[in-house]
């Protein structure tokens, strides 16, 4: 009899306790690569033509020697401190040996026994306010591999592809890999906890300024380990590792899928294979990758060409003094300062716009105005163009636009025209208002002329208003706004119409 592929999620949780472990890779935004002077273009979506941004050290050519990137070390220490970790007095590099087409040297320079940071903890808050403390085992430095592009298949993955292309531009980019200890207690919220943890890591690295941490560009990547153990047992189950899941939603879906898949397999008398697995966004499934056992397979040994790192305590304390506010504490503070409801604030965070909204408020915008523009018009335009909202405008531009509305220089309708001009490169909001003549008409004279013309077309309106039917003014206001091409203050037009009714 065929074994069921998935078990009902609630039933799976009745039978088994889910345990997860997460490995997050963060590309550091240094000017050069980890062990060479090759420019680091990890913040760019493309990074140049394939195989053009590489050097002899990145490819491991004979006679080349690696040199540690000092800024990458500083960034790594700062990140370790922000994760609540201890910073090692001595840490070293090792060679992790494996063959794969995107690994030009056939080994990766990484850290094994002596990571730069260890024994930390991160506070993670879920949407419903539940707080978890995720234990961090280590954060270690290493270099990234190249990038494979699988051609000929329908999904862009190796399964079904006709051939693969390799681009070594990313080879040697500095990475920090953050590894958690087993995470217990998530229960039904385990998938959400996994996604929220990675989101928290993203917020931390962005606040530190060490990485753009954009998952869609590979700056931030997550491997999700999932295992199940029968209720009441102490021994951990066999884990699977779903590789390179590249969105928060996918992390949540992949963890949930693995819980249901493993539960069905175990309940049917099967066993779990310790292996890597691939997540398929189109089908919402994972598929088998390659068997994976312990680190001995990688034949780690000390990197002979690099000396151990011995960061001074003065450097560590200097970096500790620059740490930003912890993400959970910062979110609580911002939500209170902005006066947003829980869901309003969560919508901003889920859209990845918390940083830019905060920067816009800091630049002088109202919190409501910053939220309205980034979550509304800018997100809509970005979606239409297939870009990020933050690629369209700066916080300073949106703060200036919001200020023009607050000052009454433009109204909401005109402000959209101003934004259109700003995005077209016509200048600052104030310059666009000037060049396009978009300022609201503040002189009552032209407004009264437009009102009189509208009343001439609707002579019964004043009588209706005097009879208490104030809503009748709406027709006149609409006609005036049309005549003034949107450049009238609707509230002022309403005042003038009501004044005419009272005085006539």
């Amino acid at each position: 009899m065929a074994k069921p592929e998935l078990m009902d999620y609630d039933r799976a949780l009745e039978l088994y306790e889910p345990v997860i472990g997460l490995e997050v890779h963060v590309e550091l935004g240094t000017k050069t690569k980890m062990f060479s002077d090759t420019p680091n273009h990890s913040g760019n979506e493309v990074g140049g033509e394939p195989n053009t941004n590489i050097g002899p050290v990145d490819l491991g050519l004979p006679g080349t020697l690696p040199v540690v990137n000092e800024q990458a070390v500083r960034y790594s220490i700062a990140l370790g401190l922000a994760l609540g970790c201890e910073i090692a007095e001595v840490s070293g590099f090792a060679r992790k040996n494996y063959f794969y087409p995107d690994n030009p040297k056939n080994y990766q320079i990484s850290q094994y026994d002596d990571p730069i940071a260890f024994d930390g903890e991160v506070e993670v808050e879920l949407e419903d306010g539940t707080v978890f403390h995720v234990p961090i085992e280590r954060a270690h430095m290493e270099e990234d591999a190249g990038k494979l592009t699988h051609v000929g298949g329908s999904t862009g993955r190796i399964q079904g592809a006709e051939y693969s292309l390799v681009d070594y531009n990313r080879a040697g980019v500095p990475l920090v890999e953050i590894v958690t200890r087993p995470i217990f207690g998530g229960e039904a919220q385990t998938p959400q906890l996994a996604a929220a943890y990675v989101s928290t890591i993203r917020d931390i690295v962005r606040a530190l300024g060490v990485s753009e941490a954009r998952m869609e560009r590979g700056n931030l990547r997550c491997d999700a380990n999932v295992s199940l153990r029968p209720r009441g047992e102490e021994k951990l189950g066999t884990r699977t590792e779903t590789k390179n899941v590249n969105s928060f939603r996918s992390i949540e879906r992949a963890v949930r899928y693995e819980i249901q898949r493993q539960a069905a397999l175990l309940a049917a008398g099967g066993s779990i294979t310790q292996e890597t697995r691939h997540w398929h966004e189109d089908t919402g499934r994972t598929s088998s990758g390659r068997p994976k056992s312990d680190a001995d397979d990688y034949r780690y040994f000390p990197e002979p060409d690099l000396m151990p790192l011995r960061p001074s305590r003065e450097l560590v304390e200097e970096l500790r003094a620059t740490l930003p506010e912890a993400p959970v504490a910062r979110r609580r503070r911002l939500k209170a300062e902005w006066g947003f409801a829980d869901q309003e604030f969560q919508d901003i965070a889920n859209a990845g716009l918390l940083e830019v909204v905060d920067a816009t408020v800091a630049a002088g915008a109202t919190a409501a105005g910053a939220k309205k523009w980034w979550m509304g018009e800018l997100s809509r335009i970005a979606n239409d163009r297939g870009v990020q909202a933050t690629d369209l405008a700066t916080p300073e531009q949106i703060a200036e636009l919001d200020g023009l509305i607050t000052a009454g220089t433009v109204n909401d309708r005109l402000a959209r025209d101003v934004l259109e001009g700003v995005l077209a490169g016509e200048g600052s909001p104030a310059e666009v208002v000037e060049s396009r003549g978009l300022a609201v008409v503040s002189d009552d004279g032209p407004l009264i002329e437009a009102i009189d013309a509208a009343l001439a077309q609707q002579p019964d309106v004043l009588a209706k208003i005097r009879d208490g039917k104030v809503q009748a003014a709406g027709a006149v206001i609409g006609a005036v706004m049309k005549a003034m091409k949107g450049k009238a203050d609707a509230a002022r037009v309403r005042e003038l119409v009501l004044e005419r009714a009272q005085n006539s």
Side-chain angles (χ1 to χ4, degrees):
M1 178 182 294
K3 295 171 183 173
E5 181 179 338
L6 295 180
M7 179 180 287
D8 175 76
Y9 188 68
D10 292 335
R11 178 57 178 162
L13 291 172
E14 289 177 9
L15 297 175
Y16 303 100
E17 177 189 359
V19 181
I20 57 172
L22 300 166
E23 302 170 15
V24 176
H25 294 78
V26 179
E27 285 187 344
L28 300 178
T30 54
K31 292 182 179 180
T32 56
K33 291 187 177 182
M34 186 70 216
F35 300 112
S36 75
D37 61 359
T38 306
N40 173 18
H41 296 314
S42 63
N44 298 337
E45 189 167 6
V46 179
E49 291 297 316
N51 297 308
T52 58
N53 189 49
I54 51 178
V57 174
D58 310 324
L59 297 177
L61 297 184
T64 59
L65 291 173
V67 178
V68 176
N69 185 322
E70 180 182 354
Q71 187 62 59
V73 175
R74 295 177 66 94
Y75 281 173
S76 301
I77 294 173
L79 180 51
L81 291 170
L83 297 171
C85 290
E86 298 291 327
I87 303 302
E89 293 186 5
V90 180
S91 68
F93 291 98
R95 289 190 181 183
K96 180 180 180 182
N97 295 274
Y98 67 94
F99 171 77
Y100 205 64
D102 62 2
N103 180 26
K105 298 196 292 279
N106 290 339
Y107 65 86
Q108 176 191 37
I109 301 179
S110 181
Q111 292 189 308
Y112 180 45
D113 290 325
D114 304 308
I116 189 73
F118 58 94
D119 287 348
E121 184 178 87
V122 172
E123 188 178 32
V124 176
E125 185 174 18
L126 305 191
E127 290 186 18
D128 65 0
T130 304
V131 174
F132 288 89
H133 294 271
V134 175
I136 305 296
E137 177 181 308
R138 57 192 280 141
H140 63 262
M141 295 179 287
E142 61 187 23
E143 58 181 340
D144 209 346
K147 181 179 180 180
L148 287 173
T149 301
H150 306 294
V151 181
S154 60
T155 65
R157 294 189 176 274
I158 194 169
Q159 293 86 354
E162 295 178 10
Y163 57 92
S164 298
L165 301 174
V166 63
D167 176 10
Y168 290 126
N169 282 350
R170 197 174 66 184
V173 165
L175 285 179
V176 171
E177 181 177 351
I178 305 164
V179 182
T180 71
R181 299 188 188 280
I183 304 170
F184 303 94
E187 297 295 347
Q189 294 178 302
T190 297
Q192 297 96 309
L193 173 57
Y197 166 76
V198 179
S199 177
T200 300
I201 295 299
R202 179 197 63 180
D203 292 346
I204 289 172
V205 299
R206 284 183 174 177
L208 287 168
V210 303
S211 173
E212 291 187 4
R214 294 177 64 163
M215 296 191 78
E216 76 279 4
R217 293 187 179 178
N219 303 143
L220 186 74
R221 307 194 293 274
C222 175
D223 299 339
N225 294 273
V226 179
S227 68
L228 300 180
R229 62 180 176 184
R231 292 289 174 182
E233 290 196 8
E234 292 295 324
K235 184 180 179 181
L236 293 176
T238 302
R239 62 183 172 87
T240 62
E241 180 183 7
T242 304
K243 301 288 288 184
N244 292 332
V245 191
N246 62 3
S247 75
F248 302 129
R249 178 172 177 269
S250 294
I251 292 167
E252 185 172 335
R253 292 175 66 203
V255 170
R256 185 183 181 97
Y257 178 88
E258 273 299 291
I259 290 172
Q260 293 181 269
R261 184 190 70 85
Q262 291 185 26
L265 190 58
L266 291 171
S271 61
I272 306 301
T273 300
Q274 184 168 327
E275 62 182 354
T276 62
R277 296 186 67 84
H278 301 288
W279 169 250
H280 302 275
E281 185 66 37
D282 54 340
T283 63
R285 298 166 174 261
T286 64
S287 64
S288 180
R290 59 182 176 84
K292 184 171 183 179
S293 52
D294 296 324
D296 291 341
D297 284 355
Y298 292 119
R299 304 187 315 281
Y300 281 99
F301 64 85
E303 168 56 60
D305 295 328
L306 292 172
M307 296 291 289
L309 296 174
R310 291 181 170 84
S312 68
R313 292 300 97 183
E314 290 78 13
L315 172 62
V316 172
E317 294 310 312
E318 172 194 328
L319 294 172
R320 193 191 305 276
T322 66
L323 293 182
E325 191 176 10
V328 171
R330 179 168 174 260
R331 289 189 182 201
R332 290 170 183 158
R333 175 179 59 80
L334 291 177
K335 185 164 76 69
E337 289 178 356
W338 295 346
F340 290 156
D342 290 346
Q343 191 57 55
E344 286 182 298
F345 189 85
Q346 194 60 48
D347 288 342
I348 297 172
N350 290 345
L353 295 173
L354 192 61
E355 297 297 330
V356 74
V357 169
D358 187 23
T360 305
V361 173
T366 62
K371 172 181 177 291
K372 177 186 73 175
W373 286 106
W374 287 109
M375 293 290 290
E377 193 71 5
L378 284 163
S379 289
R380 182 190 65 77
I381 295 170
N383 186 60
D384 290 343
R385 297 184 183 181
V387 299
Q388 298 290 316
T390 50
D391 293 332
L392 296 174
T394 67
E396 291 74 21
Q397 288 171 326
I398 301 307
E400 183 179 339
L401 179 62
D402 183 64
L404 293 173
I405 298 172
T406 302
T409 305
V410 295
N411 55 31
D412 278 352
R413 197 200 74 75
L414 292 172
R416 285 191 286 273
D417 293 338
V418 176
L419 180 63
E420 177 187 273
V422 171
L423 300 189
E426 297 174 18
S428 69
E431 290 170 342
V432 173
V433 169
E434 178 69 24
S435 63
R436 290 195 178 193
L438 294 175
V440 166
V441 175
S442 57
D443 184 356
D444 284 352
L447 297 182
I448 292 172
E449 289 181 13
I451 291 170
D452 288 342
L455 288 173
Q457 298 294 321
Q458 305 174 71
D460 58 335
V461 169
L462 293 181
K464 289 181 180 178
I465 294 174
R466 285 194 295 270
D467 291 340
K469 298 177 181 179
V470 179
Q471 66 271 21
V476 175
I477 295 171
V480 172
M481 295 298 291
K482 183 177 181 180
M484 300 296 294
K485 297 181 179 179
K487 297 181 182 179
D489 182 342
R492 181 55 182 158
V493 173
R494 178 183 174 82
E495 290 174 2
L496 291 173
V497 172
L498 295 181
E499 285 178 11
R500 293 293 303 277
Q502 292 170 357
N503 300 328
S504 60

